[in-house]
Amino acid sequence: MNRQQPSPMPSHRYRDIFARVPVAPVDRTWPDRRITQAPLWVPVDLRDGNQALADPMDPERKRRFFELMVAIGYKEIEVGYPSASQTDFDFVRLLATSDLVPDDVTIVVFTPARRDLIERTVESVAGMRGDVVIHMYAATAPVWRDVVLRRTRDELASMIYAGSEEIQRLAGDSVRFQFSPEVYNLTEPDYVLELADHLTKQWDATPERPVILNLPATIEAATPNVYADQIEYMHQNLPRRDGVILSVHPHNDRGTGVACAELAVLAGAQRVEGCVFGNGERTGNVDIATLALNLHAQGVDPMIDFSDIDGIREVVEYCTRMPIHPRHPYVGELVYTAFSGTHQDAIRKGFAVQRPGVWEVPYLPIDPADVGRGYEAVVRVNSQSGKGGIAHVLESVYGIRLAPEQEREFAGHVQRHTDATGREASAEELKALYEEVYGCSN
């Protein structure tokens, strides 16, 4: 039985996705597909994530973050919005005039579809070695067209085409082209196809020199399956599909950015933009570290090295000046820790029978050692803990083995201690309590 009552919240003010934009019917294949290889990851921390910071990164922080991303294996990195600030412009110039960019790393720079800003953007990448992508965007959803840009569909299309022509005129074959119809997920699909047809034709999209079409869920507005349908529709209907890299840029307004990205890859996306640990405006961009380690946990190589996840976290927290939540997937301080007695007992038994090869320990989706974590914090003791967890800590830290009857008896002593203190008991406290109760250390 469900005894919930209507809330006083004005839910009637909001419309679902189907009332806001046509969602074209699609012959779905994504529900039956599996992800068997990593997509191309594109971190946008230095642009989109940087814009979301109360205190944007200074040059030293931007450089340190860039060097981290190169070191752990990212091969395409969006490095800034050169026309937005002198700091961003100068950082791109530093990359263009130094040896910081390896030959196999592609640099992406971001610009609105405005002539003066495009000129500044092209100027910033002059002399850059290796591949360069100029990423042009324009908001295409009806509310943005009508309220923000105050342009009709045709007027906005003309502005976009003029911008792409300007990039081609100024940069020619020295760069590759990317276009984002911002708020794609709330834009009419026929309009996006019209824009894609023109731009891929103008830029002569081929498998040898593909155009990137990036489809952002700029404001999450539906369940992830709807976004998957929207991506598969483009995947099935894009002109010159073999000359297009289909990319996605999910946000996390509904808390389902990771699910949207995973379903989008099933639906045909080849490239995912996001931030390491999910920084970004409002609730953030999709977390590409979580996405990568989700693949790892399914037996798929993420093609990015997170084997020192605490070192990566340290750099990200320094550069963004923001702490990472202790329950953040894979990287949080507590994500491999059990306080509950039931969980602790299962983990202890799982460790006891674990053998080299396939990892199967209850409650631990991956081996903490894969990301550089030790086992000492897997079980911690408080008033919610059980005899198995207490015994595990004493044995793993101090080699003290309790007989079954001792486990039950000593757990009662620990329970009274933690109830009295109202806090966690450290391994040192457990050992001291054991010695107090039994008068010995072994």
Side-chain angles (χ1 to χ4, degrees):
M1 292 177 62
N2 185 341
R3 296 186 176 90
Q4 293 168 186
Q5 297 295 311
S7 81
M9 299 176 65
S11 302
H12 63 276
R13 297 176 58 206
Y14 303 96
R15 299 177 297 156
D16 69 17
I17 185 79
F18 302 97
R20 300 173 70 183
V21 65
V23 178
V26 61
D27 183 15
R28 296 183 184 91
T29 66
W30 64 261
D32 297 322
R33 298 185 66 200
R34 297 182 182 181
I35 302 176
T36 58
Q37 62 181 27
L40 174 60
W41 308 114
V42 183
V44 297
D45 298 79
L46 299 179
R47 189 269 297 180
D48 207 357
N50 188 45
Q51 290 175 303
L53 300 175
D55 299 306
M57 294 180 224
D58 54 43
E60 189 273 332
R61 281 179 166 81
K62 291 200 79 164
R63 176 171 178 162
R64 186 167 176 185
F65 209 140
F66 177 79
E67 290 174 337
L68 168 73
M69 291 189 285
V70 169
I72 63 178
Y74 289 111
K75 297 301 181 183
E76 188 165 314
I77 303 171
E78 190 162 83
V79 298
Y81 192 157
S83 64
S85 72
Q86 190 63 44
T87 299
D88 266 25
F89 182 89
D90 290 345
F91 181 70
V92 177
R93 290 308 303 150
L94 170 67
L95 297 180
T97 57
S98 69
D99 59 359
L100 290 172
V101 184
D103 292 340
D104 62 348
V105 171
T106 297
I107 294 301
V108 184
V109 287
F110 186 75
T111 182
R114 279 179 42 188
R115 179 174 181 173
D116 56 331
L117 303 183
I118 289 169
E119 289 177 352
R120 180 74 165 161
T121 302
V122 173
E123 180 186 352
S124 75
V125 296
M128 187 83 71
R129 295 180 305 169
D131 287 345
V132 175
V133 171
I134 293 185
H135 177 185
M136 187 184 77
Y137 83 98
T140 54
V143 173
W144 278 254
R145 291 196 311 258
D146 299 340
V147 176
V148 182
L149 301 174
R150 298 179 181 178
R151 294 175 185 263
T152 66
R153 278 177 49 147
D154 289 345
E155 289 170 341
L156 180 59
S158 295
M159 184 186 85
I160 291 168
Y161 301 155
S164 63
E165 289 168 4
E166 187 69 6
I167 293 172
Q168 196 165 31
R169 183 183 72 82
L170 293 173
D173 293 340
S174 66
V175 302
R176 288 174 44 225
F177 181 68
Q178 174 177 343
F179 175 65
S180 285
E182 190 188 6
V183 211
Y184 160 75
N185 58 322
L186 288 173
T187 302
E188 307 93 332
D190 68 302
Y191 187 46
V192 177
L193 282 176
E194 175 188 321
L195 296 173
D197 184 30
H198 182 104
L199 294 171
T200 54
K201 185 183 298 180
Q202 178 189 330
W203 276 81
D204 190 24
T206 64
E208 295 72 33
R209 191 164 178 265
V211 166
I212 301 165
L213 179 64
N214 185 55
L215 303 176
T218 309
I219 306 290
E220 266 201 306
T223 50
N225 61 296
V226 175
Y227 188 54
D229 283 352
Q230 292 174 316
I231 299 303
E232 182 147 22
Y233 178 80
M234 298 301 292
H235 172 57
Q236 292 178 357
N237 291 281
L238 273 176
R240 289 165 284 281
R241 178 66 184 91
D242 63 350
V244 174
I245 295 174
L246 189 58
S247 175
V248 292
H249 183 125
H251 276 251
N252 202 40
D253 302 88
R254 292 170 53 92
T256 58
V258 166
C260 282
E262 290 180 328
L263 267 58
V265 171
L266 292 174
Q270 301 151 287
R271 179 181 184 271
V272 178
E273 294 185 351
C275 287
V276 181
F277 307 136
N279 180 34
E281 290 278 33
R282 306 180 313 280
T283 55
N285 294 287
V286 69
D287 180 344
I288 56 174
T290 295
L291 283 168
L293 288 166
N294 282 355
L295 289 184
H296 173 70
Q298 294 291 307
V300 177
D301 185 351
M303 310 297 284
I304 303 294
D305 181 5
F306 285 101
S307 60
D308 180 17
I309 203 163
D310 289 332
I312 296 169
R313 178 179 66 179
E314 179 184 345
V315 173
V316 172
E317 288 183 325
Y318 167 75
C319 292
T320 62
R321 300 179 177 93
M322 293 195 306
I324 290 172
H325 195 280
R327 300 288 183 194
H328 195 111
Y330 299 108
V331 66
E333 178 187 354
L334 298 176
V335 297
Y336 305 105
T337 300
F339 291 99
S340 159
T342 303
H343 290 207
Q344 292 173 342
D345 183 60
I347 290 170
R348 182 191 185 195
K349 290 173 178 173
F351 273 128
V353 300
Q354 180 65 27
R355 297 290 181 268
V358 176
W359 175 260
E360 288 186 343
V361 173
Y363 297 112
L364 294 177
I366 68 169
D367 184 344
D370 293 350
V371 291
R373 292 281 179 88
Y375 300 121
E376 64 278 359
V378 168
V379 172
R380 289 164 57 176
V381 174
N382 64 17
S383 62
Q384 306 302 304
S385 302
K387 60 183 176 59
I390 295 164
H392 173 80
V393 172
L394 286 177
E395 183 176 345
S396 62
V397 178
Y398 297 109
I400 299 173
R401 289 194 173 193
L402 301 179
E405 62 276 9
Q406 279 185 308
E407 287 187 14
R408 288 188 293 272
E409 179 185 46
F410 186 58
H413 291 283
V414 174
Q415 180 77 50
R416 288 188 287 275
H417 173 78
T418 53
D419 278 340
T421 63
R423 58 174 175 77
E424 177 184 357
S426 67
E428 292 84 357
E429 288 178 282
L430 293 178
K431 182 172 184 286
L433 185 60
Y434 174 84
E435 293 174 350
E436 178 185 323
V437 171
Y438 296 105
C440 62
S441 61
N442 214 330

